[in-house]
Amino acid sequence: MTPTTPASVVALALAEDAPWGDVTSESLLPADALADAQLVAREPGVLAGSAAAREAFTQAAALTAGTLETLELAADGTRFAAGDVLGRVRGTARAVLRAERIALNLLQHLSGVATLTAAFVDAVAGTDARIVDTRKTTPGLRALERAAVRAGGGHNHRWSLSDAVLVKDNHLAVLLASGLDVTTALKSVRENVSHTTTIEVEVDRLDQLEAVLAADVDVVLLDNFSLADLAAGVALVRSRSRALVEASGGVTLQTVRGIAEQGVDLVSVGALTQNARTLDLGLDTTVLGA
């Protein structure tokens, strides 16, 4: 995530939420009225999205010609209990109220991602497996959601289609249907990309592994394998190559421990960003006199 990412996301969100200003606050509240607000957790979790929330209040102050006297937020990755105060903002009421919903929407969603990620990370504690995300992210929010995965103790997969070669089952099916040899085709990939580009290949059956390993790929993705086949696949990869082994496919909190215990290096979980529920955080606000 670049330093400008939260700013650009927040600018779009504020423009969407108040395209011609906040008609309620502007017609009701004096321009110099102050507001004091505390960010309070209604349930336990892991915080993420603090940079975006800061941007929301800072940009709202500029949009409303307002001021911010106090803007304090706990760091991403902070674990909290219900009732914990995670931050405080004090400034002109029009600015605080303009930013409130955008800041909360982002904090609640991203903290939900971080909290779910932390649950998966805790579930595989003591194994060598890393929990990684996927490209199943909300369009436009990938950078923020992946930062939230890191806040929860997880790791990031390839950023986009441009960053690494990932040959999936549909790519292999096209090769086979065209009468091409899988090993030769994969070796040609290595010749056509930079030496720094990671090459990963997905297989969904044990009998596909030999041809893939013969191409000396960097990562082998075992998709939707049973635990027995997963253990056999890991053993075969370890005996034939130095490739990392990734497991994927419908991974849940109930199944992730068993998967990790088969000796895989990575477990990719689309649910981290796709199925995380919104966490219950509140901004308790008091509007004061000037």
Side-chain angles (χ1 to χ4, degrees):
M1 183 170 68
T2 69
T4 61
T5 302
S8 60
V9 170
V10 166
L12 288 172
L14 285 169
E16 177 184 62
D17 200 42
W20 302 285
D22 176 1
V23 65
T24 305
S25 293
E26 291 165 10
S27 63
L28 182 65
L29 301 178
D32 55 357
L34 298 177
D36 192 272
Q38 288 186 325
L39 178 66
V40 181
R42 312 294 193 209
E43 61 178 314
V46 178
L47 187 69
S50 59
R54 286 180 180 277
E55 274 293 331
F57 289 110
T58 300
Q59 290 190 30
L63 288 169
T64 59
T67 60
L68 291 175
E69 297 178 7
T70 304
L71 180 51
E72 301 169 348
L73 289 170
D76 281 10
T78 299
R79 295 199 177 209
F80 53 82
D84 284 356
V85 176
L86 302 172
R88 182 187 175 203
V89 58
R90 180 186 174 95
T92 47
R94 290 183 181 181
V96 172
L97 295 177
R98 175 79 71 93
E100 176 184 19
R101 178 44 51 198
I102 300 305
L104 275 178
N105 284 351
L106 290 168
L107 284 167
Q108 289 174 321
H109 171 59
L110 297 172
S111 295
V113 172
T115 301
L116 182 58
T117 301
F120 274 91
V121 171
D122 291 347
V124 301
T127 72
D128 293 327
R130 288 185 172 191
I131 299 297
V132 299
D133 55 21
T134 71
R135 286 171 42 246
K136 295 177 181 178
T137 53
T138 307
L141 294 184
R142 179 170 295 176
L144 297 182
E145 290 177 345
R146 288 195 148 171
V149 167
R150 296 194 299 274
H155 298 265
N156 299 142
H157 212 294
R158 60 173 177 165
W159 176 258
S160 69
L161 293 173
S162 303
D163 295 318
V165 173
L166 177 46
V167 181
K168 307 194 79 174
D169 54 355
N170 49 359
H171 297 108
L172 293 177
V174 172
L175 289 176
L176 293 172
S178 302
L180 298 176
D181 173 71
V182 170
T183 302
T184 302
L186 292 175
K187 285 183 176 180
S188 72
V189 172
R190 177 65 73 191
E191 297 172 359
N192 292 325
V193 299
S194 165
H195 68 284
T196 62
T197 302
T198 298
I199 299 176
E200 180 170 1
V201 182
E202 175 189 87
V203 299
D204 52 22
R205 301 191 317 273
L206 279 171
D207 61 11
Q208 296 173 315
L209 268 175
E210 289 287 354
V212 170
L213 294 176
D216 194 27
V217 300
D218 301 302
V219 187
V220 177
L221 172 56
L222 308 180
D223 186 46
N224 281 301
F225 273 45
S226 68
L227 292 185
D229 283 352
L230 196 58
V234 170
L236 180 58
V237 173
R238 299 286 187 245
S239 70
R240 294 285 305 279
S241 78
R242 294 177 296 173
L244 296 175
V245 182
E246 176 182 341
S248 72
V251 181
T252 69
L253 280 171
Q254 290 69 42
T255 63
V256 69
R257 179 78 191 187
I259 292 169
E261 288 176 340
Q262 306 314 306
V264 300
D265 302 292
L266 310 162
V267 183
S268 53
V269 186
L272 300 182
T273 52
Q274 193 173 48
N275 296 346
R277 69 177 182 83
T278 298
L279 214 65
D280 192 0
L281 305 173
L283 196 69
D284 297 341
T285 305
T286 302
V287 176
L288 312 169

